[in-house]
Amino acid sequence: MLKVPDHQVAGHQACDGMVGPLVDDSGHFYKPLQNSERGSAEVAFYTSFSSNNKIPNHILRFFPLFHGTRLIEASDGSGLHPHLVLQDVVSSYHNPSIMDIKIGSRTWYPEASDEYIQKCFKKDRESTSLALGFRISGLQVHGSKESGFWKPDKKLIKNFTAKDVRLILRKFVSSNASADSGVDPDCSFASTVYGGSNGILAQLLELKAWFEDQTIFHFYSCSVLMIYSKDSVSKGRSSGAEVKLVDFAHVVEGKGIIDHNFLGGLCSLIKFISEI
């Protein structure tokens, strides 16, 4: 049975009559194809990426599995619509804490129209993208069974400063995360979630090493998802911390050139997290 995702923190969402993604009980995420060239571009990327034998196996794990495309009923009931069928990367988590981080100081792709470039440049300039090389697009942090999730409003997230980003990255791994700006985050889960040989920082460094060499693709307006389960950490188990890359409608050929835009943003994110 298809349903609206419970844990989507950014992007187009199925609400207020808007077409958005759906999930099923088998661990699949159905992303509606955009009607413009973006939809076909993302299909082309997944098709090319999933069959490219130059992608190392240890890098493949950072990308959702691709299961082709499928015509299904759109979330708004408007009829059949083509969807990407992807791995639902949070389906195995109970009460996942998630952060969506758009990487790059520049989020428009080279062949974009002047109108689109100006639109993206305005967002990049008014957010932390231009200053830091990345911006937070959405997040949720699970508190407890009683308090549920802390999920800041999109308007608040849009106005995050560099200082706010540092605070949010601390709150993301804290047991006392809340909307109360007067509460000092305790970062009690930082060593388990960010640190360690399998933590988020180690995974980001593994991605960084690949981006220092790979010249196959340039990833414009792509996001890094950081996911973990606070329930597992609280019970002394592994956090299951994972890094996933998503949103590939604006990926272009690398043409033998290092993707400095993405690499620079990734390095900046790594620096911010390593300072926590």
Side-chain angles (χ1 to χ4, degrees), residues 155-179:
K155 291 182 179 179
L156 177 65
I157 294 172
K158 182 180 178 182
N159 294 316
F160 278 168
T161 63
K163 183 179 179 181
D164 294 325
V165 168
R166 291 185 188 276
L167 178 64
I168 293 301
L169 287 170
R170 288 169 57 84
K171 283 190 171 188
F172 186 63
V173 290
S174 294
S175 65
N176 61 343
S178 72

PDB file of all heavy atoms in Angstrom, residues 155-179:
ATOM      1  N   LYS A 155      10.537  28.190   7.210  1.00  0.00           N
ATOM      2  CA  LYS A 155      10.887  29.614   7.178  1.00  0.00           C
ATOM      3  C   LYS A 155      12.046  29.909   8.112  1.00  0.00           C
ATOM      4  O   LYS A 155      12.907  30.742   7.814  1.00  0.00           O
ATOM      5  CB  LYS A 155       9.661  30.458   7.555  1.00  0.00           C
ATOM      6  CG  LYS A 155       8.555  30.440   6.506  1.00  0.00           C
ATOM      7  CD  LYS A 155       7.393  31.335   6.910  1.00  0.00           C
ATOM      8  CE  LYS A 155       6.298  31.334   5.841  1.00  0.00           C
ATOM      9  NZ  LYS A 155       5.141  32.182   6.249  1.00  0.00           N
ATOM     10  N   LEU A 156      12.075  29.225   9.255  1.00  0.00           N
ATOM     11  CA  LEU A 156      13.177  29.388  10.199  1.00  0.00           C
ATOM     12  C   LEU A 156      14.470  28.853   9.601  1.00  0.00           C
ATOM     13  O   LEU A 156      15.530  29.496   9.670  1.00  0.00           O
ATOM     14  CB  LEU A 156      12.857  28.649  11.504  1.00  0.00           C
ATOM     15  CG  LEU A 156      13.932  28.664  12.587  1.00  0.00           C
ATOM     16  CD1 LEU A 156      14.153  30.084  13.091  1.00  0.00           C
ATOM     17  CD2 LEU A 156      13.550  27.747  13.746  1.00  0.00           C
ATOM     18  N   ILE A 157      14.396  27.668   8.999  1.00  0.00           N
ATOM     19  CA  ILE A 157      15.577  27.041   8.403  1.00  0.00           C
ATOM     20  C   ILE A 157      16.152  27.909   7.283  1.00  0.00           C
ATOM     21  O   ILE A 157      17.371  28.040   7.140  1.00  0.00           O
ATOM     22  CB  ILE A 157      15.217  25.642   7.870  1.00  0.00           C
ATOM     23  CG1 ILE A 157      14.864  24.713   9.031  1.00  0.00           C
ATOM     24  CG2 ILE A 157      16.354  25.056   7.040  1.00  0.00           C
ATOM     25  CD1 ILE A 157      14.322  23.364   8.602  1.00  0.00           C
ATOM     26  N   LYS A 158      15.277  28.510   6.510  1.00  0.00           N
ATOM     27  CA  LYS A 158      15.696  29.344   5.375  1.00  0.00           C
ATOM     28  C   LYS A 158      16.584  30.499   5.820  1.00  0.00           C
ATOM     29  O   LYS A 158      17.466  30.945   5.072  1.00  0.00           O
ATOM     30  CB  LYS A 158      14.444  29.885   4.667  1.00  0.00           C
ATOM     31  CG  LYS A 158      14.720  30.722   3.437  1.00  0.00           C
ATOM     32  CD  LYS A 158      13.418  31.207   2.815  1.00  0.00           C
ATOM     33  CE  LYS A 158      13.676  32.091   1.615  1.00  0.00           C
ATOM     34  NZ  LYS A 158      12.410  32.603   1.023  1.00  0.00           N
ATOM     35  N   ASN A 159      16.387  30.973   7.047  1.00  0.00           N
ATOM     36  CA  ASN A 159      17.122  32.137   7.540  1.00  0.00           C
ATOM     37  C   ASN A 159      18.298  31.776   8.445  1.00  0.00           C
ATOM     38  O   ASN A 159      18.858  32.641   9.113  1.00  0.00           O
ATOM     39  CB  ASN A 159      16.167  33.072   8.289  1.00  0.00           C
ATOM     40  CG  ASN A 159      15.122  33.684   7.380  1.00  0.00           C
ATOM     41  OD1 ASN A 159      15.428  34.120   6.274  1.00  0.00           O
ATOM     42  ND2 ASN A 159      13.870  33.722   7.829  1.00  0.00           N
ATOM     43  N   PHE A 160      18.694  30.515   8.456  1.00  0.00           N
ATOM     44  CA  PHE A 160      19.837  30.105   9.285  1.00  0.00           C
ATOM     45  C   PHE A 160      21.097  30.862   8.887  1.00  0.00           C
ATOM     46  O   PHE A 160      21.416  31.006   7.705  1.00  0.00           O
ATOM     47  CB  PHE A 160      20.112  28.609   9.125  1.00  0.00           C
ATOM     48  CG  PHE A 160      19.241  27.708   9.969  1.00  0.00           C
ATOM     49  CD1 PHE A 160      19.221  26.343   9.736  1.00  0.00           C
ATOM     50  CD2 PHE A 160      18.457  28.204  10.993  1.00  0.00           C
ATOM     51  CE1 PHE A 160      18.432  25.494  10.496  1.00  0.00           C
ATOM     52  CE2 PHE A 160      17.660  27.369  11.762  1.00  0.00           C
ATOM     53  CZ  PHE A 160      17.649  26.010  11.514  1.00  0.00           C
ATOM     54  N   THR A 161      21.825  31.317   9.901  1.00  0.00           N
ATOM     55  CA  THR A 161      23.144  31.916   9.698  1.00  0.00           C
ATOM     56  C   THR A 161      24.207  30.852   9.974  1.00  0.00           C
ATOM     57  O   THR A 161      23.887  29.732  10.387  1.00  0.00           O
ATOM     58  CB  THR A 161      23.347  33.081  10.664  1.00  0.00           C
ATOM     59  OG1 THR A 161      23.317  32.568  12.020  1.00  0.00           O
ATOM     60  CG2 THR A 161      22.250  34.136  10.506  1.00  0.00           C
ATOM     61  N   ALA A 162      25.478  31.200   9.775  1.00  0.00           N
ATOM     62  CA  ALA A 162      26.562  30.266  10.072  1.00  0.00           C
ATOM     63  C   ALA A 162      26.529  29.871  11.548  1.00  0.00           C
ATOM     64  O   ALA A 162      26.760  28.704  11.898  1.00  0.00           O
ATOM     65  CB  ALA A 162      27.904  30.896   9.722  1.00  0.00           C
ATOM     66  N   LYS A 163      26.219  30.807  12.423  1.00  0.00           N
ATOM     67  CA  LYS A 163      26.111  30.514  13.855  1.00  0.00           C
ATOM     68  C   LYS A 163      24.983  29.527  14.122  1.00  0.00           C
ATOM     69  O   LYS A 163      25.122  28.604  14.935  1.00  0.00           O
ATOM     70  CB  LYS A 163      25.873  31.810  14.626  1.00  0.00           C
ATOM     71  CG  LYS A 163      25.811  31.637  16.146  1.00  0.00           C
ATOM     72  CD  LYS A 163      25.604  32.974  16.837  1.00  0.00           C
ATOM     73  CE  LYS A 163      25.511  32.783  18.350  1.00  0.00           C
ATOM     74  NZ  LYS A 163      25.291  34.087  19.045  1.00  0.00           N
ATOM     75  N   ASP A 164      23.859  29.720  13.436  1.00  0.00           N
ATOM     76  CA  ASP A 164      22.722  28.803  13.586  1.00  0.00           C
ATOM     77  C   ASP A 164      23.098  27.391  13.124  1.00  0.00           C
ATOM     78  O   ASP A 164      22.712  26.401  13.752  1.00  0.00           O
ATOM     79  CB  ASP A 164      21.520  29.292  12.770  1.00  0.00           C
ATOM     80  CG  ASP A 164      20.952  30.603  13.274  1.00  0.00           C
ATOM     81  OD1 ASP A 164      20.966  30.830  14.495  1.00  0.00           O
ATOM     82  OD2 ASP A 164      20.492  31.393  12.433  1.00  0.00           O
ATOM     83  N   VAL A 165      23.835  27.299  12.019  1.00  0.00           N
ATOM     84  CA  VAL A 165      24.244  26.002  11.485  1.00  0.00           C
ATOM     85  C   VAL A 165      25.084  25.248  12.507  1.00  0.00           C
ATOM     86  O   VAL A 165      24.887  24.046  12.735  1.00  0.00           O
ATOM     87  CB  VAL A 165      25.014  26.174  10.159  1.00  0.00           C
ATOM     88  CG1 VAL A 165      25.696  24.865   9.752  1.00  0.00           C
ATOM     89  CG2 VAL A 165      24.073  26.639   9.058  1.00  0.00           C
ATOM     90  N   ARG A 166      26.019  25.928  13.131  1.00  0.00           N
ATOM     91  CA  ARG A 166      26.842  25.290  14.173  1.00  0.00           C
ATOM     92  C   ARG A 166      25.960  24.767  15.304  1.00  0.00           C
ATOM     93  O   ARG A 166      26.157  23.655  15.811  1.00  0.00           O
ATOM     94  CB  ARG A 166      27.862  26.281  14.724  1.00  0.00           C
ATOM     95  CG  ARG A 166      28.951  26.666  13.754  1.00  0.00           C
ATOM     96  CD  ARG A 166      29.996  27.551  14.415  1.00  0.00           C
ATOM     97  NE  ARG A 166      30.939  28.074  13.442  1.00  0.00           N
ATOM     98  CZ  ARG A 166      32.006  27.423  13.005  1.00  0.00           C
ATOM     99  NH1 ARG A 166      32.253  26.198  13.463  1.00  0.00           N
ATOM    100  NH2 ARG A 166      32.820  27.954  12.122  1.00  0.00           N
ATOM    101  N   LEU A 167      24.992  25.579  15.699  1.00  0.00           N
ATOM    102  CA  LEU A 167      24.094  25.188  16.780  1.00  0.00           C
ATOM    103  C   LEU A 167      23.250  23.980  16.387  1.00  0.00           C
ATOM    104  O   LEU A 167      23.088  23.034  17.177  1.00  0.00           O
ATOM    105  CB  LEU A 167      23.184  26.369  17.155  1.00  0.00           C
ATOM    106  CG  LEU A 167      22.137  26.114  18.250  1.00  0.00           C
ATOM    107  CD1 LEU A 167      22.819  25.797  19.578  1.00  0.00           C
ATOM    108  CD2 LEU A 167      21.213  27.331  18.397  1.00  0.00           C
ATOM    109  N   ILE A 168      22.729  23.973  15.163  1.00  0.00           N
ATOM    110  CA  ILE A 168      21.880  22.873  14.703  1.00  0.00           C
ATOM    111  C   ILE A 168      22.667  21.573  14.601  1.00  0.00           C
ATOM    112  O   ILE A 168      22.169  20.498  14.961  1.00  0.00           O
ATOM    113  CB  ILE A 168      21.238  23.223  13.342  1.00  0.00           C
ATOM    114  CG1 ILE A 168      20.243  24.370  13.501  1.00  0.00           C
ATOM    115  CG2 ILE A 168      20.542  22.006  12.749  1.00  0.00           C
ATOM    116  CD1 ILE A 168      19.101  24.091  14.463  1.00  0.00           C
ATOM    117  N   LEU A 169      23.897  21.651  14.130  1.00  0.00           N
ATOM    118  CA  LEU A 169      24.724  20.445  14.051  1.00  0.00           C
ATOM    119  C   LEU A 169      25.006  19.881  15.445  1.00  0.00           C
ATOM    120  O   LEU A 169      25.179  18.670  15.604  1.00  0.00           O
ATOM    121  CB  LEU A 169      26.042  20.754  13.328  1.00  0.00           C
ATOM    122  CG  LEU A 169      25.931  20.967  11.820  1.00  0.00           C
ATOM    123  CD1 LEU A 169      27.245  21.496  11.254  1.00  0.00           C
ATOM    124  CD2 LEU A 169      25.536  19.673  11.105  1.00  0.00           C
ATOM    125  N   ARG A 170      25.015  20.740  16.443  1.00  0.00           N
ATOM    126  CA  ARG A 170      25.175  20.282  17.833  1.00  0.00           C
ATOM    127  C   ARG A 170      23.854  19.697  18.351  1.00  0.00           C
ATOM    128  O   ARG A 170      23.832  18.644  18.984  1.00  0.00           O
ATOM    129  CB  ARG A 170      25.620  21.448  18.716  1.00  0.00           C
ATOM    130  CG  ARG A 170      27.068  21.878  18.478  1.00  0.00           C
ATOM    131  CD  ARG A 170      27.387  23.207  19.169  1.00  0.00           C
ATOM    132  NE  ARG A 170      27.131  23.167  20.604  1.00  0.00           N
ATOM    133  CZ  ARG A 170      27.978  22.698  21.513  1.00  0.00           C
ATOM    134  NH1 ARG A 170      29.156  22.225  21.123  1.00  0.00           N
ATOM    135  NH2 ARG A 170      27.677  22.707  22.791  1.00  0.00           N
ATOM    136  N   LYS A 171      22.760  20.384  18.066  1.00  0.00           N
ATOM    137  CA  LYS A 171      21.451  19.902  18.515  1.00  0.00           C
ATOM    138  C   LYS A 171      21.106  18.547  17.909  1.00  0.00           C
ATOM    139  O   LYS A 171      20.434  17.727  18.535  1.00  0.00           O
ATOM    140  CB  LYS A 171      20.353  20.914  18.158  1.00  0.00           C
ATOM    141  CG  LYS A 171      20.298  22.138  19.058  1.00  0.00           C
ATOM    142  CD  LYS A 171      19.042  22.940  18.794  1.00  0.00           C
ATOM    143  CE  LYS A 171      18.859  24.043  19.815  1.00  0.00           C
ATOM    144  NZ  LYS A 171      17.549  24.721  19.703  1.00  0.00           N
ATOM    145  N   PHE A 172      21.565  18.330  16.690  1.00  0.00           N
ATOM    146  CA  PHE A 172      21.253  17.093  15.980  1.00  0.00           C
ATOM    147  C   PHE A 172      21.724  15.864  16.756  1.00  0.00           C
ATOM    148  O   PHE A 172      21.128  14.787  16.650  1.00  0.00           O
ATOM    149  CB  PHE A 172      21.893  17.132  14.590  1.00  0.00           C
ATOM    150  CG  PHE A 172      21.532  15.986  13.694  1.00  0.00           C
ATOM    151  CD1 PHE A 172      20.219  15.786  13.286  1.00  0.00           C
ATOM    152  CD2 PHE A 172      22.501  15.104  13.223  1.00  0.00           C
ATOM    153  CE1 PHE A 172      19.880  14.743  12.441  1.00  0.00           C
ATOM    154  CE2 PHE A 172      22.174  14.060  12.378  1.00  0.00           C
ATOM    155  CZ  PHE A 172      20.861  13.874  11.992  1.00  0.00           C
ATOM    156  N   VAL A 173      22.773  16.015  17.541  1.00  0.00           N
ATOM    157  CA  VAL A 173      23.327  14.877  18.287  1.00  0.00           C
ATOM    158  C   VAL A 173      23.197  15.095  19.797  1.00  0.00           C
ATOM    159  O   VAL A 173      24.006  14.603  20.576  1.00  0.00           O
ATOM    160  CB  VAL A 173      24.806  14.633  17.898  1.00  0.00           C
ATOM    161  CG1 VAL A 173      24.902  14.092  16.486  1.00  0.00           C
ATOM    162  CG2 VAL A 173      25.641  15.908  18.036  1.00  0.00           C
ATOM    163  N   SER A 174      22.154  15.818  20.196  1.00  0.00           N
ATOM    164  CA  SER A 174      21.947  16.105  21.613  1.00  0.00           C
ATOM    165  C   SER A 174      20.680  15.450  22.138  1.00  0.00           C
ATOM    166  O   SER A 174      19.711  15.267  21.405  1.00  0.00           O
ATOM    167  CB  SER A 174      21.858  17.625  21.846  1.00  0.00           C
ATOM    168  OG  SER A 174      23.091  18.250  21.550  1.00  0.00           O
ATOM    169  N   SER A 175      20.693  15.128  23.411  1.00  0.00           N
ATOM    170  CA  SER A 175      19.515  14.522  24.029  1.00  0.00           C
ATOM    171  C   SER A 175      18.489  15.575  24.424  1.00  0.00           C
ATOM    172  O   SER A 175      17.349  15.235  24.734  1.00  0.00           O
ATOM    173  CB  SER A 175      19.927  13.724  25.278  1.00  0.00           C
ATOM    174  OG  SER A 175      20.446  14.600  26.279  1.00  0.00           O
ATOM    175  N   ASN A 176      18.893  16.850  24.409  1.00  0.00           N
ATOM    176  CA  ASN A 176      17.992  17.922  24.838  1.00  0.00           C
ATOM    177  C   ASN A 176      17.665  18.897  23.713  1.00  0.00           C
ATOM    178  O   ASN A 176      17.442  20.088  23.951  1.00  0.00           O
ATOM    179  CB  ASN A 176      18.606  18.677  26.021  1.00  0.00           C
ATOM    180  CG  ASN A 176      19.952  19.330  25.677  1.00  0.00           C
ATOM    181  OD1 ASN A 176      20.574  18.972  24.687  1.00  0.00           O
ATOM    182  ND2 ASN A 176      20.394  20.272  26.501  1.00  0.00           N
ATOM    183  N   ALA A 177      17.658  18.411  22.466  1.00  0.00           N
ATOM    184  CA  ALA A 177      17.324  19.272  21.326  1.00  0.00           C
ATOM    185  C   ALA A 177      15.888  19.754  21.430  1.00  0.00           C
ATOM    186  O   ALA A 177      14.971  18.974  21.690  1.00  0.00           O
ATOM    187  CB  ALA A 177      17.524  18.519  20.018  1.00  0.00           C
ATOM    188  N   SER A 178      15.691  21.055  21.234  1.00  0.00           N
ATOM    189  CA  SER A 178      14.341  21.626  21.295  1.00  0.00           C
ATOM    190  C   SER A 178      14.345  22.980  20.614  1.00  0.00           C
ATOM    191  O   SER A 178      15.396  23.493  20.222  1.00  0.00           O
ATOM    192  CB  SER A 178      13.881  21.782  22.755  1.00  0.00           C
ATOM    193  OG  SER A 178      14.589  22.831  23.393  1.00  0.00           O
ATOM    194  N   ALA A 179      13.170  23.560  20.513  1.00  0.00           N
ATOM    195  CA  ALA A 179      13.039  24.878  19.901  1.00  0.00           C
ATOM    196  C   ALA A 179      13.538  25.986  20.821  1.00  0.00           C
ATOM    197  O   ALA A 179      13.725  27.116  20.389  1.00  0.00           O
ATOM    198  CB  ALA A 179      11.576  25.135  19.537  1.00  0.00           C
TER     199      ALA A 179
END
